[in-house]
């Protein structure tokens, strides 16, 4: 078709233009190809527009040129061709010019690339020096690149993975700081400059920077000067970190801590210090200079620091109104001091309680009869009680020297206190195996002296062993003796004449002896064990009209709640009388005993009759004595009175013989009156009707009165009376008449036995609880066999005495002294004389009767 050819030609031209454009793009790149296309489009539009307008005008005029008819389509094709051709020419011109410019730019770029390569080589040469290493992160998801190296002495590894593991070759503190700084650089672009320290001790500078596309961390090895500065910086960082850590620790402690300046003022305190001094906070405590310790304690600390930098002592202070004990440690340096106080009040209380418990435990163990010894983990003796020392007879010096267990066993063996073993070493090792045991061990030792010892080794939780030595010799002996006693008692019970029966709480017979069945006339079957008491009661009720067995049954079976001993008599039908006793035993058992007391009852009845007769006889005797005494006193009084009248000159003169007879009658009558009075006094005492007239007894006056009564007898035999009352009280409470009578009888008794021209000593002295009178004579003394009968009535003694009496003197003395609540004793001996001592209490208790 003729109308399509120009169109195909245009597409071909267009295609050729595209080829030239591609070529241009090869020179210019993607941007030049785009510019070429734009220029071609503009050129085509410039030529095609006027041509189309011309064609349109020609058609409108209907003009035919050169006799040729030109259609509209041909005109259009021509216009397109002309436009394309023009555009091609223009494009060629543009492309030529662009190629020239591109060539010039390529030359310039090659020159710049060469410069960049040279700079890169110089940079790599600088980075590859052995004093720095750079870590570069190009993107977040790419591995970092390492450039350069560090000196060997720095301790940095060459391997990439090992170098990036900072914790392996850096100090922990430096590694942690670097990791933290790198994380902040990559995530928040925070630049940093650090001085770190490797594990080899080499300091390094680290600089962290971040650009738009890269993250760089540079490690730089330092010079010697820089290293010194870096070390100082690291030390400063370390000291600052340690200071912060220590301050944080001290502030967290529940113990008051403080820092003081050189002049002693507070610089810093922790929270516990502020709480102790009741400050709002630590700053307020420092600002207000509130002191934790008292002035005396601070002075003691300052005085100690003058000679020693460290002060360690327990001090007391008041906290919240309570006095507490603190263990204070204070260190003084060149620029100040620091202190720490630990509350040991509870520890001291626990220590005191522990010490008291240990002492109490030791005292308790020391009082035990069981031997106890405690050895520590080193097998050394740490404690022993008295029973242990007594059991083995070891000296305390050896035991207090803390000997080990093996040495102790060897010594016991060498001294022959434990039995010799066939294999001593193996036996000892087995015994000492208790120190490695978990549970207690028990051994039995039979000692050479016949003792049997039970040895218990009890391991302690914290090591060591507690040895318990229990002497079972007596126990085993007691068990043997008990078994023997049981057998003997069984035999004895069976052979007793006394009937015995034991009933259990269920009312059944537990045991009985043959005498029980014989006394109650029971058969052997009826008295067998397990027979109920009701059966025995039925059989025994037939033997007695008034049987006590119903009461027995009530007590045995528990119907009678009152468990008590019962005693009584019962008479059987055959005339026998049984004495019974019912005794409650433990566990609800009851023992009953029966004794045939028929003969005893008969004898008792006879004795009662005889006793009644004797009582009546004694009553008649007392009445007779009193009657005779009173009857004798009246005529004796008359005789004495008439004798005194006869001796008076007014009665008339008497011959010498008559005067002697009158004197004998008077003296004999006086003696007889004294005997009658003594008998009457004793009868009154025996009857229990004598009453003492208690008042203040004047010692001097009473002694003088008694001495006057015996003055004639003493003068008759040239006996001198020596009275020692220097230590005597002025008065004491008693019956003055009876005391005078006591002293008279003592002096009369002494005058009877004292040698011619000798001295009788009467001594009175005050005691802590009374008064003591003693009368001593230098007579022959009393034989020991007479001391038992010296106070008996009507026992006259003629051993060296001048006259025999009724033997009532010392009996009356004893009776009257005991009526006062006192006592009488005699100190005598052969050729030592006799001393009778009477003691009277301060406040006499009147007794109803005296022996």
């Amino acid at each position: 078709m003729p109308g399509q050819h120009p169109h195909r030609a245009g597409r071909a031209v267009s295609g050729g233009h595209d080829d030239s454009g591609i070529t241009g793009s090869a020179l210019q790149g993607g941007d030049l190809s785009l510019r070429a296309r734009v220029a071609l489009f503009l050129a085509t539009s410039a030529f095609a527009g006027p041509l189309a307008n011309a064609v349109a005008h020609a058609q409108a005029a209907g003009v035919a040129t050169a006799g040729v008819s030109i259609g509209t389509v041909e005109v259009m094709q021509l216009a397109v061709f002309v436009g394309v051709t023009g555009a091609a020419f223009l494009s060629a011109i543009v492309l030529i010019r662009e190629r020239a410019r591109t060539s010039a730019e390529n030359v310039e770029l090659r020159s710049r690339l060469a410069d960049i390569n040279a700079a890169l080589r110089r940079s790599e040469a600088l980075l590859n020096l052995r004093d720095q290493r750079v870590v570069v992160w190009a993107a977040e998801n790419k591995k970092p690149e390492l450039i350069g190296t560090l000196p060997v002495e720095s301790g940095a590894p060459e391997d990439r993975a090992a170098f990036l593991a900072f914790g392996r070759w850096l100090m922990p503190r430096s590694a942690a700081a670097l990791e933290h700084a790198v994380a902040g650089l990559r995530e928040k672009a925070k630049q940093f400059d650090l001085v770190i320290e490797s594990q080899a001790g080499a300091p390094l500078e680290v600089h962290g920077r971040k650009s738009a596309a890269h993250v760089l961390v540079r490690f730089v090895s330092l010079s010697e000067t820089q290293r010194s500065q870096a070390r100082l910086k690291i030390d400063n960082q370390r000291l600052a970190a340690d200071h912060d850590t220590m301050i944080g620790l001290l502030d967290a402690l529940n113990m008051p801590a403080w820092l003081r300046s050189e002049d002693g003022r507070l610089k810093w305190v922790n929270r516990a210090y502020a709480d102790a001094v009741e400050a709002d906070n630590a700053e307020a405590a420092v600002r207000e200079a509130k002191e934790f310790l008292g002035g005396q304690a601070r002075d003691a600390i300052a005085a100690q620091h003058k000679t020693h930098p460290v002060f360690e002592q327990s001090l007391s202070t008041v906290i919240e109104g309570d006095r507490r004990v603190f263990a204070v440690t204070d260190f003084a340096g060149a620029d100040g001091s620091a202190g720490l106080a630990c509350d040991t009040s509870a520890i001291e209380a626990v220590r005191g309680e522990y010490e008291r418990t240990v002492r109490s435990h030791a005292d308790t163990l020391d009082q035990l009869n069981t031997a106890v010894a405690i050895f520590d983990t080193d097998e050394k003796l740490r404690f022993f009680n008295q029973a242990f020392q007594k059991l083995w007879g070891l000296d305390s010096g050896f035991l207090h020297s803390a000997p080990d267990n093996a040495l102790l066993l060897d010594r016991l063996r060498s001294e022959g206190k434990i039995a010799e073993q066939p294999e001593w070493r193996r036996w000892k090792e087995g015994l000492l195996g208790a120190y490695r045991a978990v549970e207690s061990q028990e051994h039995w030792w039979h000692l050479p002296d016949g003792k049997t010892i039970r040895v218990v080794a009890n391991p302690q939780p914290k090591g060591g062993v507690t040895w318990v030595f229990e002497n079972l010799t007596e126990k085993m002996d007691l068990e043997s003796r008990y078994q023997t006693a049981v057998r003997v008692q069984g035999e004895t019970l069976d052979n007793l004449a006394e009937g015995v029966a034991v009933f259990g709480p269920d009312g059944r017979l537990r045991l009985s002896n043959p005498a029980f069945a014989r006394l109650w006339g029971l058969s052997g079957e009826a008295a067998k064990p397990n027979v109920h008491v009701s059966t025995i009661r039925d059989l025994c009720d037939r033997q007695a009209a008034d049987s006590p067995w119903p009461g027995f049954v009530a007590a045995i079976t528990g119907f009678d709640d009152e468990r008590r001993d019962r005693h009584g008599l019962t008479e059987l039908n055959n005339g026998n009388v049984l004495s019974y006793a019912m005794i409650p035993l433990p566990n609800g058992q009851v023992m009953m005993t029966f004794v045939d007391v028929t003969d005893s009852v008969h004898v008792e009845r006879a004795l009662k009759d005889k006793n009644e007769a004797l009582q009546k006889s004694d009553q008649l005797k007392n009445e007779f004595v009193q009657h005779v005494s009173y009857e004798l006193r009246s005529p004796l009084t008359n005789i004495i009175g008439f004798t005194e009248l006869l001796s008076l000159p007014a009665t008339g003169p008497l011959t010498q013989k008559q005067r002697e007879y009158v004197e004998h009658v008077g003296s004999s009558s006086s003696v007889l009156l004294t005997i009658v009075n003594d008998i009457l006094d004793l009868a009154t005492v025996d009857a229990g009707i004598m009453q003492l007239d208690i008042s203040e007894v004047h010692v001097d006056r009473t002694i003088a009165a008694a001495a006057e009564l015996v003055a004639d007898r003493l003068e008759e035999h040239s006996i001198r009376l020596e009275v020692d009352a220097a230590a005597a009280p002025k008065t004491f409470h008693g019956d003055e008449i009876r005391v005078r009578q006591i002293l008279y009888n003592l002096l009369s008794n002494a005058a009877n036995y004292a040698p011619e021209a000798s001295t009788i000593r009467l001594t009175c002295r005050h005691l802590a609880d009374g008064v003591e009178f003693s009368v001593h004579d230098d007579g022959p003394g009393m034989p020991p066999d007479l001391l038992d009968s010296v106070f008996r009535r009507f026992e006259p003694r003629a051993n060296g005495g001048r006259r025999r009496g009724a033997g009532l003197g010392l009996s009356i003395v004893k009776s009257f002294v005991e009526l006062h609540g006192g006592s009488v004793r005699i100190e005598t001996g052969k050729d030592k004389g006799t001393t009778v001592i009477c003691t009277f209490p301060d406040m006499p208790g009147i007794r109803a009767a005296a022996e």
Side-chain angles (χ1 to χ4, degrees):
M1 292 179 62
Q4 294 180 349
H5 180 72
H7 179 68
R8 288 194 298 269
R11 181 176 298 176
V13 172
S14 177
H17 178 71
D18 289 339
D19 293 338
S20 66
I22 293 171
T23 305
S25 69
L27 296 174
Q28 296 289 338
D31 294 338
L32 295 176
S33 178
L34 179 60
R35 287 196 295 269
R37 290 190 183 96
V38 173
L40 179 60
F41 174 75
L42 293 175
T44 306
S45 300
F47 283 99
L51 183 58
N53 291 332
V55 173
H57 287 296
Q59 288 179 348
V63 180
T65 306
V68 180
S69 178
I70 300 173
T72 303
V73 176
E74 287 78 4
V75 174
M76 291 295 293
Q77 291 178 350
L78 179 61
V80 170
F81 176 76
V82 173
V84 169
T85 303
F89 283 115
L90 291 175
S91 298
I93 294 170
V94 171
L95 287 174
I96 292 171
R97 298 178 66 179
E98 286 294 331
R99 171 177 267 181
R101 188 175 61 82
T102 301
S103 177
E105 289 179 354
N106 288 336
V107 172
E108 183 179 359
L109 289 174
R110 288 189 185 93
S111 176
R112 292 175 60 188
L113 181 60
D115 294 339
I116 290 172
N117 288 333
L120 178 61
R121 284 192 293 272
R122 288 195 301 273
S123 299
E124 288 180 351
L126 292 173
L127 291 175
N128 286 326
L129 294 176
R130 297 189 60 82
D131 60 353
Q132 65 178 352
R133 197 168 196 182
V134 182
V135 182
V136 181
W137 282 272
E140 294 294 334
N141 57 351
K142 289 186 177 180
K143 295 183 178 180
E145 182 180 357
L146 272 67
I147 302 172
T149 59
L150 291 172
V152 177
E153 59 270 14
S154 67
E158 289 292 335
D159 183 67
R160 174 180 175 278
F163 183 85
L164 293 177
F166 300 132
R168 295 184 179 180
W169 62 280
L170 292 178
M171 298 297 289
R173 190 192 307 274
S174 299
L178 181 60
E179 293 284 356
H180 180 72
V182 170
L185 177 66
R186 298 184 63 185
E187 295 174 3
K188 300 180 181 179
K190 293 178 63 176
Q191 300 181 5
F192 65 87
D193 295 291
L194 295 177
V195 177
I196 61 175
E197 184 179 12
S198 67
Q199 294 183 0
L204 299 173
E205 279 190 356
V206 183
H207 306 282
R209 300 292 184 269
K210 185 173 184 180
S211 64
H214 299 86
V215 174
L216 298 96
V217 176
R218 186 164 67 110
F219 296 81
V220 181
S221 178
L222 304 177
S223 63
E224 188 62 33
T225 303
Q226 290 173 331
R227 287 180 184 178
S228 300
Q229 295 177 352
R231 286 193 182 95
L232 292 175
K233 188 175 182 181
I234 291 173
D235 293 341
N236 183 52
Q237 293 175 354
R238 184 184 299 113
L239 290 175
D242 292 342
H243 176 268
D244 294 339
T245 302
M246 292 301 298
I247 291 296
L249 173 62
L250 291 175
D251 198 52
L253 287 177
N254 193 22
M255 295 183 288
W258 59 88
L259 296 176
R260 296 182 184 274
S261 60
E262 186 177 0
D263 57 0
R265 292 182 302 172
L266 289 173
K267 292 197 305 184
W268 175 89
V269 298
N270 66 347
R271 175 183 51 80
Y273 185 103
D275 294 341
V277 299
E278 299 181 358
D280 295 336
N281 49 49
E283 291 75 12
V286 174
R287 184 174 58 256
E288 298 172 7
K290 289 191 173 184
E291 293 293 347
F292 171 72
L293 297 173
Q296 187 175 0
R298 297 198 305 274
D299 293 342
I301 294 174
Q304 177 73 17
H305 285 331
K306 292 179 180 178
T307 57
H308 197 273
V310 179
F311 175 87
E312 288 182 319
Q313 191 174 337
S314 293
L315 301 175
S316 63
T317 187
V318 178
I319 304 296
E320 297 179 352
D322 296 332
R323 180 163 294 278
R324 300 182 186 175
V325 178
F326 287 83
V328 178
T329 302
D330 196 279
F331 173 79
D335 298 329
S337 62
L340 183 68
C342 179
D343 190 353
T344 60
S345 301
I347 297 176
E348 293 297 329
V350 171
R351 180 181 290 111
E353 184 65 25
Y354 172 75
E355 291 175 355
R356 287 191 295 271
T357 302
V358 170
R359 286 196 299 269
S360 175
H361 180 68
D363 292 342
T364 302
L365 291 179
D366 216 29
Q367 299 300 320
L368 292 179
N369 292 326
T370 302
V372 179
I374 300 177
F375 291 80
D376 59 12
T377 53
D378 297 329
E379 301 184 14
K380 298 288 187 181
L381 180 62
R382 295 305 177 192
F383 173 81
F384 63 92
N385 61 354
Q386 294 181 1
F388 179 83
Q389 183 179 3
K390 182 178 179 182
L391 173 64
W392 300 114
L394 298 173
D395 58 282
S396 59
F398 171 73
L399 295 176
H400 283 99
S401 66
D404 58 20
N405 208 337
L407 178 62
L408 180 64
L409 292 174
D410 290 337
R411 177 160 180 173
L412 294 177
R413 177 197 180 191
S414 63
E415 294 181 0
K417 295 179 179 179
I418 57 177
E420 187 66 38
Q421 303 297 326
E423 297 183 7
W424 170 257
R425 185 180 300 276
R426 180 176 297 179
W427 180 85
K428 184 172 66 173
E429 290 177 355
L431 190 67
L432 297 179
Y435 289 92
R436 300 177 296 276
V438 178
E439 297 182 353
S440 300
Q441 297 181 0
E442 181 177 336
H443 308 275
W444 290 84
W445 292 0
H446 300 283
L447 305 186
D449 59 358
K451 294 179 181 177
T452 300
I453 305 296
R454 176 175 173 261
V455 182
V456 178
N458 185 24
Q460 300 177 7
K462 295 184 179 180
V465 175
T466 299
W467 294 90
V468 179
F469 302 87
E470 186 178 4
N471 189 351
L472 299 181
T473 307
E474 294 184 2
K475 180 180 178 181
M476 298 181 68
D477 183 52
L478 286 175
E479 288 181 355
S480 175
R481 287 158 57 187
Y482 171 76
Q483 297 296 334
T484 304
V486 168
R487 291 192 297 270
V488 171
Q489 288 175 0
E491 295 294 331
T492 304
L493 189 64
D494 289 342
N495 292 280
L496 280 178
E498 180 181 3
V500 178
V502 178
F503 292 87
D506 56 355
R508 298 189 177 277
L509 183 65
R510 290 288 185 266
L511 63 90
S512 64
N513 63 348
F516 171 71
R518 184 180 69 254
L519 291 174
W520 286 99
L522 300 176
S523 63
E525 294 293 330
K528 280 187 175 181
N530 291 325
V531 176
H532 199 271
V533 66
S534 58
T535 304
I536 298 177
R537 177 199 60 190
D538 295 339
L539 297 174
C540 293
D541 284 346
R542 303 172 188 172
Q543 305 296 327
D546 187 12
S547 175
W549 278 93
F552 296 165
V553 173
I556 292 170
T557 56
F559 291 106
D560 188 357
D561 295 334
E562 185 180 2
R563 290 177 55 83
R564 57 184 177 82
D565 294 354
R566 297 185 182 183
H567 302 271
L569 296 175
T570 182
E571 188 170 355
L572 305 182
N573 295 333
N574 58 7
N576 292 338
V577 179
L578 301 181
S579 173
Y580 64 83
M582 186 173 62
I583 304 171
L585 299 178
N587 301 325
Q589 300 184 98
V590 176
M591 182 179 71
M592 303 179 65
T593 61
F594 301 92
V595 181
D596 188 353
V597 294
T598 306
D599 297 336
S600 300
V601 168
H602 293 164
V603 171
E604 183 181 356
R605 289 172 181 172
L607 289 175
K608 283 182 178 180
D609 296 339
K610 186 176 182 179
N611 186 51
E612 290 176 358
L614 290 174
Q615 288 178 351
K616 290 180 180 180
S617 175
D618 188 63
Q619 183 178 1
L620 291 174
K621 180 201 70 171
N622 290 333
E623 292 175 354
F624 171 77
V625 169
Q626 293 180 14
H627 178 73
V628 170
S629 298
Y630 281 111
E631 291 297 330
L632 288 175
R633 181 176 292 178
S634 296
L636 283 174
T637 303
N638 294 331
I639 293 172
I640 294 172
F642 286 115
T643 302
E644 291 177 351
L645 287 175
L646 288 174
S647 62
L648 293 176
T651 308
L654 296 176
T655 64
Q656 184 64 28
K657 273 295 187 187
Q658 289 174 342
R659 188 174 299 279
E660 291 179 1
Y661 292 158
V662 169
E663 290 177 357
H664 283 299
V665 170
S667 61
S668 299
S669 299
S670 298
V671 172
L672 182 59
L673 181 60
T674 301
I675 293 173
V676 170
N677 288 333
D678 290 344
I679 293 173
L680 182 59
D681 288 339
L682 290 175
T684 306
V685 171
D686 291 341
I689 58 177
M690 175 170 281
Q691 298 292 332
L692 296 179
D693 184 12
I694 302 299
S695 61
E696 286 193 3
V697 178
H698 295 271
V699 174
D700 294 340
R701 187 173 64 190
T702 304
I703 292 176
E708 185 179 356
L709 293 175
V710 297
D712 294 339
R713 293 184 59 184
L714 297 178
E715 185 178 358
E716 179 182 356
H717 301 285
S718 302
I719 298 174
R720 188 168 60 90
L721 176 62
E722 181 182 307
V723 178
D724 181 9
K730 292 183 178 180
T731 61
F732 70 96
H733 289 84
D735 188 332
E736 186 171 355
I737 296 176
R738 300 306 176 188
V739 173
R740 184 170 66 246
Q741 190 173 354
I742 291 170
L743 296 178
Y744 168 74
N745 281 282
L746 292 177
L747 292 174
S748 298
N749 184 73
N752 190 35
Y753 293 97
E756 295 283 343
S758 63
T759 301
I760 296 176
R761 286 178 293 277
L762 189 153
T763 305
C764 179
R765 63 192 183 101
H766 184 265
L767 301 178
D769 54 352
V771 180
E772 179 184 275
F773 289 92
S774 63
V775 176
H776 174 78
D777 65 80
D778 295 328
M782 297 183 185
D785 57 338
L786 291 180
L787 289 177
D788 295 335
S789 61
V790 69
F791 293 110
R792 294 178 187 174
R793 301 172 186 176
F794 307 107
E795 289 283 346
R797 290 164 293 277
N799 55 323
R802 296 183 178 86
R803 63 178 70 178
R804 295 176 59 91
L808 296 176
L810 293 180
S811 299
I812 291 177
V813 169
K814 186 173 186 296
S815 298
F816 286 169
V817 171
E818 290 181 348
L819 275 176
H820 282 79
S823 61
V824 181
R825 70 180 188 275
I826 296 177
E827 296 179 356
T828 184
K830 188 176 181 179
D831 298 330
K832 293 182 179 180
T834 302
T835 303
V836 182
I837 302 171
C838 300
T839 304
F840 295 88
D842 284 336
M843 293 298 295
I846 302 174
R847 298 176 55 181
E851 292 182 1

